Amino acid sequence: MDFTSIFNGYALGLLGAGLAAALACSGSGLGTGYAGQAGAGLVSEDPSKFGKAMILQVIPGTQGLYGFVIWFLAFNKLVPGMSIAEGWQIFGACLPIGIGGLVSGAAQGKVAASSMNILAKKPDDWSKGMILCITVEFYAILSLLASFMMLNGISIG
């Protein structure tokens, strides 16, 4: 048994799909963790701000959802016995959301954590922090669209 019989196109595609989900979910985990730490500190001082703090914490979680959507789409394109070239196409199509989700999820979590300061000091202006978070979200959406369009351009068979 040689290397290409073990590491074939199907394995490459599966690796790409797995990375899309794993990296994007890792970014969301980091981001929601950063925001959660800041939110926990805020809520310990003022429990009435829990609802708004939770909304800020949840925002960085979207990257993981985007990665899972691409995992699902990529997984549905996988065919046993597919060529290595087809596997590389799927692998490459999964990278934008994997890398983009990892970086933007962590960065968005830091913005959300900082936005907890707005909520703490000027509760009526907390939506400004959400707008700052949404700016980072835009790049996660671009990564999702890039992966989606790349996957839709692949024909297997």
Side-chain angles (χ1 to χ4, degrees):
M1 192 180 315
D2 64 357
F3 180 73
T4 56
S5 66
I6 297 169
F7 198 71
N8 55 25
Y10 186 84
L12 273 171
L14 192 59
L15 179 61
L19 284 173
L23 292 175
C25 286
S26 295
S28 284
L30 287 169
T32 57
Y34 297 147
Q37 287 176 326
L42 172 62
V43 171
S44 72
E45 294 293 321
D46 186 353
S48 69
K49 294 181 178 161
F50 174 74
K52 291 178 180 177
M54 186 179 73
I55 291 170
L56 287 170
Q57 184 194 8
V58 168
I59 292 172
T62 56
Q63 284 81 345
L65 294 173
Y66 300 158
F68 184 74
V69 166
I70 294 302
W71 170 86
F72 183 78
L73 294 173
F75 190 76
N76 283 330
K77 286 212 173 259
L78 296 176
V79 177
M82 64 193 302
S83 72
I84 290 179
E86 292 167 331
W88 276 119
Q89 288 176 336
I90 291 174
F91 182 89
C94 292
L95 288 180
I97 193 56
I99 296 168
L102 174 65
V103 174
S104 68
Q108 192 174 52
K110 291 177 182 179
V111 173
S114 295
S115 295
M116 298 289 180
N117 292 324
I118 297 172
L119 178 57
K121 295 177 182 175
K122 295 186 177 188
D124 292 337
D125 291 339
W126 79 284
S127 60
K128 291 177 181 177
M130 285 185 56
I131 292 168
L132 295 171
C133 290
I134 291 167
T135 304
V136 181
E137 183 77 18
F138 177 72
Y139 296 97
I141 292 170
L142 290 179
S143 297
L144 170 67
L145 290 174
S147 286
F148 181 80
M149 292 172 72
M150 290 168 73
L151 279 172
N152 278 341
I154 299 171
S155 60
I156 305 296

